[in-house]
Amino acid sequence: MTDPVRVGSLRGLVMRAPGIAATKKFYIDNWGLSLAHEGDGEVYLRGTGSEPFIYGLKDSDTYGIEYIHFAMPDRAATDALHQWLVRQGEAVLGAPADFEDFAGGYGFEVLDPDNRRLRFRADAAAQEPVEAFAKPRKVSHVVLNSGDMDGVADWYCKTLGFRVSDYSADQMVFLRCASDHHSIALVRGHYPSVNHVAFELPSINEFMRSIGRMKQVGVVPTWGPGRHGPGDNPFAYYVSPSGFVIEFTAEVQQIDEETHEAQVWPRDVPEKMDQWMTAGAPTAAQRAVMQGRPDPGFPELREK
């Protein structure tokens, strides 16, 4: 067995839920994103970086993920990844082709073991970065609950070339595809669902100012601010108008592939969970909302 073709980086994701497109005002006025494109029942939002969009809102009867969006370095790497996945017998959803959406580019989709759609795109229409203080730059990471955390983590590593950065006891595994400590993290759960999505601010000062901006409109964190052990990143969690957990973060640990060794972080040592000791443990209500609603994904596409 040869090594898999590695995924380039995380671009963001598109969420789906009933009436979610109507919540765009929260993300633009409060959260700090900008409108990139809008269609019938769909809203796409950009950060201050070069990505055409980092977060999408799509009206649906289902609560969950429409697709997780990854970058590939070029068309040749995209074709190589597609060929690799086909050889492995994975649920590839068509051949690589030009995308006809506003972001353009070239790519394809595949289903992960929990039937989530993963979209790989090269040559997307890059945007000029925006100079804006205390506005999210990018989606740092997506955390997913799974009834088969170990199996799904193994799939991401063996099939897409992710690497394990760290573990949180036996309850979480942090996976990277680029230098960020984690782009995908998996939590041991009862069913597939969204745990949370993290938006990165460029600095700790901008992280705190973003919390302040939210406070000025009467919205306070449901957990945080604090600073995680795994990933070394500050955190402040909120609940979105659609009931999804979203996070402000900054200063995510950058991994040196030559020297980094994964470790197991204990969950029963408070300063290992929150280095600042400001947030405390998540409440039962916070844990419940991070457990999320069951997301069936797209099993019907696997059968085609």
Side-chain angles (χ1 to χ4, degrees):
M1 178 177 176
T2 58
D3 292 334
V5 177
R6 289 184 173 181
V7 173
S9 60
L10 177 67
R11 290 187 184 273
L13 74 166
V14 177
M15 303 297 295
R16 54 181 181 153
I20 194 173
T23 69
K24 70 175 183 179
K25 182 177 174 61
F26 167 86
Y27 291 99
I28 294 172
D29 293 350
N30 299 346
W31 200 247
L33 303 181
S34 301
L35 182 65
H37 181 79
E38 188 170 12
D40 185 19
E42 297 182 337
V43 174
Y44 297 89
L45 302 159
R46 64 165 295 188
T48 61
S50 61
E51 287 292 339
F53 74 96
I54 62 172
Y55 201 59
L57 311 171
K58 182 174 181 179
D59 290 339
S60 172
D61 293 334
T62 302
Y63 288 88
I65 293 173
E66 180 70 8
Y67 62 83
I68 303 176
H69 196 199
F70 294 98
M72 295 299 293
D74 52 41
R75 293 187 176 219
T78 306
D79 289 339
L81 177 62
H82 179 268
Q83 293 163 10
W84 160 262
L85 293 171
V86 169
R87 290 198 302 270
Q88 303 309 305
E90 298 298 335
V92 178
L93 308 180
D98 290 327
F99 288 110
E100 297 181 356
D101 62 1
F102 79 97
Y106 174 84
F108 68 97
E109 295 181 337
V110 70
L111 296 181
D112 80 0
D114 281 335
N115 292 316
R116 298 183 185 91
R117 288 166 61 197
L118 311 180
R119 177 172 292 189
F120 307 99
R121 188 191 308 247
D123 294 346
Q127 302 294 316
E128 283 295 322
V130 175
E131 291 293 334
F133 183 72
K135 300 294 181 69
R137 176 171 54 191
K138 68 176 187 177
V139 166
S140 165
H141 54 268
V142 181
V143 179
L144 306 169
N145 302 313
S146 178
D148 181 21
M149 183 192 80
D150 300 312
V152 174
D154 190 59
W155 183 87
Y156 272 86
C157 292
K158 290 183 177 178
T159 308
L160 297 179
F162 280 70
R163 284 83 74 198
V164 174
S165 294
D166 281 312
Y167 300 89
S168 178
D170 62 349
Q171 296 302 302
M172 288 187 72
V173 57
F174 299 88
L175 306 175
R176 68 185 184 276
C177 59
S179 61
D180 285 351
H181 178 270
H182 56 292
S183 295
I184 297 289
L186 296 162
V187 180
R188 195 179 304 282
H190 300 294
Y191 46 75
S193 61
V194 184
N195 187 285
H196 70 271
V197 178
F199 295 79
E200 183 181 288
L201 282 303
S203 67
I204 192 69
N205 195 32
E206 291 173 87
F207 165 80
M208 291 303 296
R209 180 63 183 85
S210 297
I211 295 171
R213 181 179 66 246
M214 295 289 283
K215 186 175 182 180
Q216 292 304 306
V217 295
V219 184
V220 297
T222 55
W223 184 32
R227 189 162 197 142
H228 289 307
D232 194 33
N233 54 303
F235 64 87
Y237 293 90
Y238 297 80
V239 178
S240 78
S242 297
F244 296 115
V245 178
I246 51 179
E247 175 192 4
F248 284 139
T249 193
E251 299 184 349
V252 176
Q253 179 184 358
Q254 298 301 294
I255 297 297
D256 183 335
E257 293 289 346
E258 298 298 321
T259 61
H260 181 75
E261 294 184 8
Q263 63 174 298
V264 179
W265 291 79
R267 295 172 72 88
D268 57 353
V269 180
E271 60 267 33
K272 296 292 187 179
M273 292 290 288
D274 175 13
Q275 298 180 64
W276 290 342
M277 298 290 285
T278 52
T283 64
Q286 181 69 29
R287 293 187 186 278
V289 73
M290 294 176 92
Q291 180 174 292
R293 304 172 181 90
D295 182 357
F298 295 88
E300 69 279 5
L301 299 179
R302 189 177 291 275
E303 298 168 1
K304 290 185 178 181

